[in-house]
Amino acid sequence: MSVAIKSAEEIEKMRVAGRLAASVLEMIEAQVVPGVTTGELDRMCHEFIVNELDAIPAPLNYRGFPRSICTSVNNQVCHGIPGNKRLKKGDIVNIDITVIKDGYHGDTSKMFFVGEPTVLARRLVEITQQAMRIGIAAAGPGATLGDIGHAIQTFVEKHRFSVVREYCGHGIGREFHEEPQVLHYGKPGDGLRLQPGMCFTIEPMVNAGKRFVKLLPDGWTVVTKDRALSAQWEHTILITDDGREVLTLRDEERAGIADQSQDSNQDADQDQEQIARPAEGLAEPVRLRAGAG
């Protein structure tokens, strides 16, 4: 496995691309309301990326993907294709944004509530976001990819949810999907040891039911096999000399981010102490299923 170490110049370009990707999620938030179609959300994001940010929507025509963003609603796990689906009260939707600026990618996603969610939907979305934060807190120089996956998996399974294993995070930079694969399950100490200058995404997909998924006939949309709800959050991160930097941080997350990181470290430690048994049936690492987000 060859993992690129980004130069100082490349890191600055990654910061720019990451901030632009975050700004798309900030822009679209007010538009995620009952009655809007996912196709309309795609159009608004496309126009903002191209006209306001002077950037390129990376998913568009990537390996044949037909839209500029991914919108995954309710039991859709990832790579949902925007179209005529009209959002209704109680839905949850993941919007996955990747932009290219000056040849470098920024990749991030966020869950949105459409009106008031059910108790289960709110809990799933919040646990998934916390799982991502715990995974980010586990990343740093000298840590391994297995440390990240284990921290996420033990936290999610403690809360009786399940981690999708067929899809994973990925390295990112000049290419949309680079090495390494970043699994959201695993064992401490396994896998690649992280070094400063590595850039990759952490993007756990968490199901309210069983972990199993299936690919729809459109060749892109992934759904839960049992039709249970699914949630996902994603950030692009950089490994630094003394920890990690989130390159796709939104303004709403900037206040108190140091406290959040500290809390996530504490939660991860507590969760690992409380999990009395190892995770069962760990699958062999799968090759990254290249997606549009």
Side-chain angles (χ1 to χ4, degrees):
M1 180 194 311
S2 177
V3 178
I5 303 297
K6 303 296 189 289
S7 68
E9 181 181 359
E10 289 178 308
I11 288 169
E12 283 306 313
K13 291 183 177 182
M14 292 291 293
R15 287 190 178 112
V16 171
R19 181 69 194 104
L20 294 184
S23 75
V24 182
L25 290 176
E26 293 169 336
M27 178 280 298
I28 203 63
E29 181 166 13
Q31 311 304 323
V32 184
V33 295
V36 72
T37 68
T38 55
E40 290 168 339
L41 295 175
D42 175 74
R43 175 185 57 78
M44 287 184 277
C45 288
H46 177 90
E47 292 177 354
F48 183 75
I49 293 168
V50 173
N51 298 330
E52 300 297 324
L53 303 183
D54 192 25
I56 299 169
L60 185 60
N61 298 320
Y62 179 78
R63 299 191 178 184
F65 190 79
R67 296 291 183 266
S68 294
I69 66 174
C70 298
T71 52
S72 302
V73 183
N74 294 335
N75 71 317
Q76 294 177 343
V77 176
C78 61
H79 304 157
I81 302 174
N84 295 325
K85 183 174 182 61
R86 198 169 297 278
L87 300 181
K88 64 183 186 301
K89 291 181 180 179
D91 283 343
I92 58 174
V93 56
N94 176 273
I95 298 181
D96 194 341
I97 304 292
T98 309
V99 305
I100 308 171
K101 184 69 172 180
D102 293 333
Y104 286 82
H105 292 72
D107 191 1
T108 185
S109 80
K110 176 182 175 178
M111 295 298 301
F112 295 87
F113 298 130
V114 184
E116 184 64 25
T118 65
V119 172
L120 174 62
R122 182 178 293 278
R123 181 167 173 265
L124 173 67
V125 167
E126 291 176 349
I127 290 298
T128 305
Q129 183 180 33
Q130 185 66 5
M132 177 194 66
R133 289 174 173 169
I134 286 172
I136 291 171
T144 68
L145 291 177
D147 296 338
I148 296 172
H150 179 75
I152 291 170
Q153 181 185 12
T154 52
F155 179 76
V156 168
E157 293 180 351
K158 169 194 169 184
H159 289 280
R160 306 298 181 187
F161 293 138
S162 60
V163 175
V164 172
R165 300 185 185 182
E166 289 82 357
Y167 298 85
C168 58
H170 53 88
I172 188 168
R174 281 192 173 275
E175 301 296 327
F176 197 161
H177 296 94
E178 301 179 353
E179 294 290 354
Q181 295 181 85
V182 183
L183 305 184
H184 303 115
Y185 63 94
K187 297 179 181 179
D190 276 4
L192 178 73
R193 197 163 296 279
L194 305 179
Q195 301 176 43
M198 291 181 175
C199 283
F200 52 84
T201 68
I202 295 178
E203 48 182 301
M205 288 144 275
V206 176
N207 296 345
K210 297 184 182 299
R211 69 175 181 85
F212 304 105
V213 301
K214 65 179 180 180
L215 183 66
L216 294 187
D218 64 22
W220 286 102
T221 308
V222 180
V223 300
T224 55
K225 272 193 174 180
D226 59 9
R227 305 177 70 88
L229 292 174
S230 187
Q232 180 186 25
W233 294 79
E234 176 183 13
H235 271 314
T236 297
I237 72 167
L238 163 72
I239 300 301
T240 64
D241 289 335
D242 57 359
R244 86 294 300 163
E245 177 183 343
V246 180
L247 302 180
T248 47
L249 206 62
R250 300 181 301 280
D251 285 344
E252 65 183 308
E253 299 173 294
R254 291 183 184 277
I257 190 66
D259 292 338
Q260 290 177 359
S261 181
Q262 182 178 4
D263 290 345
S264 294
N265 275 309
Q266 293 172 349
D267 288 344
D269 291 342
Q270 292 170 0
D271 293 332
Q272 290 178 23
E273 290 173 2
Q274 292 172 9
I275 298 293
R277 59 177 178 78
E280 298 175 357
L282 282 180
E284 288 295 314
V286 294
R287 294 304 303 167
L288 173 64
R289 295 192 179 182

